[in-house]
mmCIF file of all heavy atoms in Angstrom:
data_model
loop_
_atom_site.group_PDB
_atom_site.id
_atom_site.type_symbol
_atom_site.label_atom_id
_atom_site.label_comp_id
_atom_site.label_asym_id
_atom_site.label_seq_id
_atom_site.Cartn_x
_atom_site.Cartn_y
_atom_site.Cartn_z
ATOM 1 N N THR P 394 150.135 109.868 74.668
ATOM 2 C CA THR P 394 148.925 109.677 75.652
ATOM 3 C C THR P 394 148.003 108.610 75.398
ATOM 4 O O THR P 394 147.421 108.229 76.163
ATOM 5 C CB THR P 394 148.148 111.041 75.366
ATOM 6 O OG1 THR P 394 147.575 111.106 74.233
ATOM 7 C CG2 THR P 394 149.033 112.371 75.600
ATOM 8 N N ASP P 444 154.422 109.192 79.307
ATOM 9 C CA ASP P 444 153.083 108.878 79.590
ATOM 10 C C ASP P 444 152.750 107.428 79.049
ATOM 11 O O ASP P 444 152.198 106.647 79.712
ATOM 12 C CB ASP P 444 152.181 109.918 78.844
ATOM 13 C CG ASP P 444 150.638 109.791 79.409
ATOM 14 O OD1 ASP P 444 150.381 109.091 80.471
ATOM 15 O OD2 ASP P 444 149.785 110.297 78.551
ATOM 16 N N HIS P 448 152.002 104.134 81.050
ATOM 17 C CA HIS P 448 150.890 103.322 80.840
ATOM 18 C C HIS P 448 151.184 101.808 80.762
ATOM 19 O O HIS P 448 150.440 101.013 81.328
ATOM 20 C CB HIS P 448 150.174 103.673 79.439
ATOM 21 C CG HIS P 448 149.548 104.994 79.286
ATOM 22 N ND1 HIS P 448 149.288 105.703 78.227
ATOM 23 C CD2 HIS P 448 149.097 105.832 80.393
ATOM 24 C CE1 HIS P 448 148.766 106.848 78.541
ATOM 25 N NE2 HIS P 448 148.552 106.841 79.807
ATOM 26 N N ILE P 502 145.746 99.799 78.147
ATOM 27 C CA ILE P 502 144.967 100.200 79.294
ATOM 28 C C ILE P 502 143.460 100.147 79.006
ATOM 29 O O ILE P 502 142.589 100.280 80.017
ATOM 30 C CB ILE P 502 145.374 101.599 79.903
ATOM 31 C CG1 ILE P 502 145.481 102.546 78.805
ATOM 32 C CG2 ILE P 502 146.631 101.388 80.629
ATOM 33 C CD1 ILE P 502 145.786 104.007 79.329
ATOM 34 N N VAL P 507 145.149 102.200 84.350
ATOM 35 C CA VAL P 507 146.330 102.778 84.882
ATOM 36 C C VAL P 507 146.531 102.497 86.407
ATOM 37 O O VAL P 507 145.698 101.790 86.921
ATOM 38 C CB VAL P 507 146.515 104.234 84.488
ATOM 39 C CG1 VAL P 507 146.873 104.416 82.993
ATOM 40 C CG2 VAL P 507 145.312 104.997 84.763
ATOM 41 N N HIS P 511 149.318 107.545 87.741
ATOM 42 C CA HIS P 511 148.223 108.401 87.180
ATOM 43 C C HIS P 511 147.321 108.891 88.254
ATOM 44 O O HIS P 511 146.856 110.065 88.220
ATOM 45 C CB HIS P 511 147.352 107.614 86.223
ATOM 46 C CG HIS P 511 147.986 107.607 84.769
ATOM 47 N ND1 HIS P 511 149.172 106.922 84.551
ATOM 48 C CD2 HIS P 511 147.609 108.372 83.777
ATOM 49 C CE1 HIS P 511 149.380 107.182 83.183
ATOM 50 N NE2 HIS P 511 148.521 108.038 82.755
ATOM 51 N N TYR P 515 146.980 112.905 88.803
ATOM 52 C CA TYR P 515 145.610 113.598 88.642
ATOM 53 C C TYR P 515 145.383 114.558 89.886
ATOM 54 O O TYR P 515 144.868 115.634 89.747
ATOM 55 C CB TYR P 515 144.425 112.685 88.657
ATOM 56 C CG TYR P 515 144.226 111.848 87.400
ATOM 57 C CD1 TYR P 515 145.052 111.980 86.295
ATOM 58 C CD2 TYR P 515 143.067 111.022 87.215
ATOM 59 C CE1 TYR P 515 144.894 111.363 85.096
ATOM 60 C CE2 TYR P 515 142.775 110.474 85.969
ATOM 61 C CZ TYR P 515 143.728 110.674 84.955
ATOM 62 O OH TYR P 515 143.521 109.938 83.753
ATOM 63 N N HIS P 525 149.573 116.797 82.215
ATOM 64 C CA HIS P 525 149.510 115.322 82.540
ATOM 65 C C HIS P 525 150.920 114.617 82.302
ATOM 66 O O HIS P 525 151.424 113.827 83.198
ATOM 67 C CB HIS P 525 148.581 114.658 81.546
ATOM 68 C CG HIS P 525 148.320 113.153 81.836
ATOM 69 N ND1 HIS P 525 147.943 112.653 82.865
ATOM 70 C CD2 HIS P 525 148.642 112.028 80.994
ATOM 71 C CE1 HIS P 525 147.839 111.289 82.932
ATOM 72 N NE2 HIS P 525 148.354 110.975 81.706
ATOM 73 N N ASN P 529 153.003 113.044 85.471
ATOM 74 C CA ASN P 529 153.372 111.664 85.565
ATOM 75 C C ASN P 529 154.868 111.404 85.978
ATOM 76 O O ASN P 529 155.116 110.638 86.792
ATOM 77 C CB ASN P 529 153.057 110.852 84.344
ATOM 78 C CG ASN P 529 151.618 110.624 84.078
ATOM 79 O OD1 ASN P 529 150.747 110.786 85.085
ATOM 80 N ND2 ASN P 529 151.178 110.035 82.977
HETATM 81 FE FE1 FE2 V 1 148.289 108.876 80.769
#
Side-chain angles (χ1 to χ4, degrees):
T394 65
D444 189 19
H448 290 160
I502 49 177
V507 281
H511 274 74
Y515 282 9
H525 184 61
N529 282 351

